[in-house]
Amino acid sequence: MTNRHRAVLFFLLLLTFLPAFFRGARAQEDAPVQQLEGRIEPGGISLYLLSDLQAGQTLYARATNASGNLDPILGVIADDVDTVQLVADYEAAVAQAVASGEDLLPALNRLRDEFTLAWDDDGGGGLTAALPFRVPQDGNYLLLVAGTLSALGYATSGDFELLAGLDEPAVLQGTAEPTGDIVAVLDRDATPPQVGVQVINGSLANERPFTSHKLEDFLEGDVLTVYLEAPNRDWQPQLLLSNFAGKPLAEGRTDPQTGAVTLEYTFPADARQTELQLFAAGGENTIAGDYRLLLGANSPEVLNGEAQDNGRLVAVMPLAVEVGVRLEQIIAVNQNDEFFHAAAVIRMDWNDPKLAFNPEECDCDTLVFNGSAIDSFFADPARQFPLFTIPNQQGNRWIQNRDFTLTANGDATYFERFTTDFQVDFDYSQFPFDTETFFIRVDSILPEEDVAFRVLPGYSVISPDNGEDEFILSEVTAEILRLPDFQNRLHTRYQFSFSAPRHLEYYFFQIFVPILLIIAVSWFTFFLKDYMRRIEVASGNLLLFIAFSFSLSDNYPRLGYLTFLDAIMAAMFVINALVIIYNVWMRRMEMNGRDAQVKRIDDAMDWIYPFIYIGALVLMYIWFF
């Protein structure tokens, strides 16, 4: 065969295979790929309509976490099923499997096979779901995106990215590029609405006859139902629904027969940061009291007032923050200026689903932040930190270290060790037998509708090595108080307090023993018959009391009231002054020749004198204690 014949044959073969080659290349180029974004709330699902799929086509889908701690799962179901009933039947079947003691993971896999045409969890590596589905027959299908294990109560949530394509296996690796084609469309009609009922019991006070409840996000078409009743018919509550800007959206209607207030509102578009305001009707003589509030999301039974708590949250609950204080060391107590300098630790624990993260980002379950990294983390306005202040702090708070830990499900712990001065309102009236109360107060800056402090169980203690020698630290108490601000909004306060009586050994040996000795010396002079000597000793005792009193007063603040010790010293002054007067009087009577009368009086005073002191002490004790 000549070269010319070979060239002709090669050209004919090329014409034979080129059409097939171009058809395959064109088919590969025309494979539609679409990228979508969505969000899964705790316990929720999203359904996407896959229209006009052809038998033999292969659907490829990949769902990855974009925020929060969402662990996505994918499934394909027929489009002609009742999705609400399907979800209910699936949850019932899971509950039945759990109740029967069946092995959990095999049971879930079995039920997923039973309720879907195809499904995948973690097939894309890590927490990524990657699903191939070969279409069995022409028609429409539904692609389901949900949080895995949500039927068991482990409801992960967050944003996700969904990549869907037909006959494009690169979707499974996430390397396929979107082509601009429409593969899947969110089917709001097929997606079961998130249903929930929430019951809130509260009260309004006459001095604060209003409150508000922020609501969770609602989707277009969701229906909010509200039922409000006041057991006491003497006052009439009112309702007002407003949007993020405070613009009224709907107002409650009062049933003249029952006095209950109801509200129903269908959201025309996705809505965030709506608020339900509740206030007592009336003018200056407003009467308020207890109320019962039922909130429903897509739950019409709420309007009858008979619904019970179940399903999704409707109102945004306050961020419940458990607070504890550990007193490490009392460095000094300044009783003149009424403050104590101490080292302490504040710890706060809370859970916020908005802080949840994808553990694949760090290959860890816990993130740790220190110092300024904490401020950088919470600089994002979507992240809420329980802002606080210490109202009885004096001067700067010197922070030795700050630590913040966060787990993937949103469990947060804040730890701060610091030193500062804490104001104390000393009450010296029973000094030195007084028992002082020391406080460390932590106030929430945000109102209790946003942040509510709770006591962290078992944390609020005083370190055994507290370093305080004058006071006996005891009776630690941790409690939560509710205080109004200047706008009459309530804020929660964590209050750490401890009672502290004084060690009395110092006062016994440094004050009371010298006083008793001075009194004894003064008493012993009564057994002397030389009144001039007695006058000299009594005068010396009086001067000694004066000097002793001045030495004590230098250590304690100038007060506008008498303390128990002040009263004792004053009584000592008066009695010693009276002793001098008594001895001068006895001396004058002796000089006037009235020796018998002097002896009679003096013999009686030898034993009356100590009882005068005892009587004075008893009266002072009754007065001060």
Side-chain angles (χ1 to χ4, degrees):
M1 182 179 297
T2 65
N3 290 336
R4 182 178 179 183
H5 290 140
R6 290 191 185 95
V8 171
L9 180 61
F10 176 77
F11 180 73
L12 292 174
L13 291 174
L14 185 62
L15 291 178
T16 303
F17 289 106
L18 271 180
F21 172 79
F22 282 114
R23 282 197 303 271
R26 187 167 52 253
Q28 193 72 14
E29 290 177 358
D30 293 341
V33 176
Q34 181 183 7
Q35 183 170 333
L36 304 99
E37 296 177 350
R39 180 172 179 82
I40 299 295
E41 298 295 343
I45 66 174
S46 292
L47 289 171
Y48 290 85
L49 178 63
L50 306 167
S51 301
D52 298 327
L53 298 188
Q54 305 298 313
Q57 285 184 313
T58 300
L59 168 73
Y60 295 96
R62 176 186 175 92
T64 58
N65 173 296
S67 74
N69 65 337
L70 178 65
D71 182 1
I73 186 172
L74 289 171
V76 177
I77 60 177
D79 77 324
D80 57 351
V81 301
D82 184 341
T83 54
V84 174
Q85 187 63 45
L86 181 74
V87 171
D89 291 344
Y90 175 76
E91 292 177 348
V94 171
Q96 178 62 32
V98 172
S100 65
E102 189 176 351
D103 289 343
L104 199 55
L105 292 180
L108 284 177
N109 292 340
R110 174 179 60 80
L111 293 174
R112 289 165 178 169
D113 289 336
E114 179 181 337
F115 282 85
T116 66
L117 301 175
W119 64 274
D120 180 75
D121 180 22
D122 302 341
L127 301 180
T128 298
L131 168 73
F133 170 66
R134 187 168 181 81
V135 180
Q137 59 185 17
D138 296 353
N140 298 334
Y141 295 84
L142 292 173
L143 178 63
L144 178 148
V145 185
T148 188
L149 301 181
S150 59
L152 295 175
Y154 303 103
T156 61
S157 62
D159 297 322
F160 64 86
E161 292 181 354
L162 176 64
L163 196 64
L166 295 174
D167 299 322
E168 178 53 271
V171 168
L172 298 180
Q173 288 74 42
T175 58
E177 293 294 332
T179 60
D181 295 287
I182 302 298
V183 178
V185 177
L186 180 63
D187 193 334
R188 292 186 181 270
D189 294 331
T191 301
Q194 281 197 282
V195 177
V197 176
Q198 189 172 352
V199 181
I200 299 175
N201 294 301
S203 63
L204 299 180
N206 292 342
E207 61 274 11
R208 187 177 182 270
F210 63 90
T211 189
S212 62
H213 297 280
K214 294 181 180 179
L215 302 181
E216 294 282 354
D217 296 344
F218 283 85
L219 298 176
E220 178 184 346
D222 281 345
V223 180
L224 170 69
T225 49
V226 184
Y227 180 91
L228 172 65
E229 64 175 351
N232 183 0
R233 295 291 302 276
D234 291 337
W235 72 287
Q236 181 58 57
Q238 294 187 356
L239 286 173
L240 182 66
L241 177 67
S242 59
N243 67 4
F244 64 93
K247 182 178 179 179
L249 300 176
E251 187 175 6
R253 295 177 296 179
T254 302
D255 186 328
Q257 300 297 324
T258 64
V261 184
T262 59
L263 184 150
E264 184 175 14
Y265 182 75
T266 301
F267 288 91
D270 294 354
R272 294 188 175 186
Q273 298 183 355
T274 52
E275 186 174 69
L276 188 66
Q277 299 172 354
L278 190 158
F279 51 94
E284 297 180 356
N285 299 321
T286 296
I287 299 175
D290 297 332
Y291 65 85
R292 175 172 172 264
L293 180 66
L294 276 71
L295 301 174
N298 304 303
S299 302
E301 67 273 16
V302 163
L303 297 177
N304 299 323
E306 302 297 331
Q308 301 296 322
D309 265 316
N310 67 81
R312 60 164 283 189
L313 288 177
V314 184
V316 177
M317 299 304 294
L319 188 65
V321 181
E322 293 185 332
V323 183
V325 168
R326 179 181 174 90
L327 182 62
E328 296 288 348
Q329 183 182 16
I330 293 183
I331 301 169
V333 178
N334 189 324
Q335 299 187 62
N336 282 334
D337 296 329
E338 297 193 283
F339 68 84
F340 69 100
H341 186 63
V345 172
I346 290 179
R347 174 173 169 173
M348 295 182 172
D349 289 359
W350 71 96
N351 176 271
D352 187 354
K354 295 180 180 178
L355 298 181
F357 64 91
N358 182 5
E360 287 185 303
E361 296 175 357
C362 61
D363 290 331
C364 64
D365 186 60
T366 302
L367 297 176
V368 179
F369 302 88
N370 308 106
S372 60
I374 301 174
D375 300 323
S376 299
F377 179 79
F378 283 103
D380 185 345
R383 297 168 178 161
Q384 184 179 17
F385 181 80
L387 299 172
F388 67 92
T389 184
I390 301 177
N392 65 322
Q393 170 187 324
Q394 291 187 346
N396 290 329
R397 185 167 83 246
W398 304 104
I399 298 175
Q400 279 77 52
N401 61 286
R402 300 166 64 209
D403 299 287
F404 174 72
T405 61
L406 179 66
T407 63
N409 67 344
D411 286 335
T413 297
Y414 176 77
F415 177 96
E416 177 183 312
R417 190 182 192 278
F418 65 94
T419 58
T420 192
D421 296 331
F422 297 96
Q423 178 185 354
V424 181
D425 185 13
F426 286 110
D427 181 2
Y428 292 102
S429 58
Q430 296 178 352
F431 176 81
F433 300 99
D434 54 326
T435 297
E436 302 297 343
T437 303
F438 295 75
F439 294 98
I440 298 178
R441 298 183 173 108
V442 182
D443 286 6
S444 170
I445 294 178
L446 298 174
E448 68 174 352
E449 289 89 353
D450 298 320
V451 174
F453 282 169
R454 303 286 185 267
V455 174
L456 180 62
Y459 191 83
S460 301
V461 296
I462 299 175
S463 171
D465 303 323
N466 56 75
E468 175 52 36
D469 297 323
E470 181 173 357
F471 291 92
I472 303 171
L473 309 186
S474 61
E475 299 183 23
V476 175
T477 301
E479 58 184 336
I480 300 297
L481 306 176
R482 300 167 72 227
L483 305 173
D485 62 10
F486 69 97
Q487 294 180 323
N488 217 15
R489 297 178 303 176
L490 292 177
H491 296 245
T492 50
R493 164 180 288 178
Y494 166 88
Q495 181 166 279
F496 174 91
S497 62
F498 54 94
S499 299
R502 298 175 189 270
H503 289 285
L504 294 178
E505 292 86 350
Y506 168 83
Y507 299 97
F508 179 75
F509 288 105
Q510 295 294 325
I511 297 178
F512 292 109
V513 168
I515 288 177
L516 290 173
L517 291 176
I518 294 171
I519 293 173
V521 170
S522 179
W523 181 34
F524 293 156
T525 63
F526 276 72
F527 297 96
L528 296 174
K529 299 307 176 185
D530 186 342
Y531 289 104
M532 290 302 297
R533 293 291 184 188
R534 288 167 64 168
I535 293 171
E536 291 174 0
V537 173
S539 299
N541 272 352
L542 183 61
L543 293 175
L544 183 59
F545 265 118
I546 293 172
F548 191 53
S549 176
F550 274 109
S551 69
L552 293 177
S553 63
D554 289 340
N555 296 321
Y556 299 101
R558 305 295 185 264
L559 303 173
Y561 55 88
L562 285 179
T563 68
F564 179 64
L565 183 59
D566 291 335
I568 290 177
M569 298 301 294
M572 300 305 104
F573 292 148
V574 172
I575 294 174
N576 271 273
L578 292 176
V579 168
I580 295 174
I581 295 172
Y582 167 77
N583 286 323
V584 171
W585 180 44
M586 290 294 101
R587 174 61 179 162
R588 287 182 61 85
M589 290 179 64
E590 184 183 52
M591 292 174 63
N592 291 331
R594 300 164 63 182
D595 294 345
Q597 186 179 3
V598 168
K599 184 178 185 308
R600 188 168 58 253
I601 295 174
D602 209 33
D603 287 343
M605 287 299 298
D606 288 346
W607 303 106
I608 293 175
Y609 178 75
F611 288 100
I612 294 175
Y613 277 106
I614 293 173
L617 287 174
V618 170
L619 289 175
M620 286 184 289
Y621 181 84
I622 294 173
W623 180 265
F624 284 94
F625 294 91

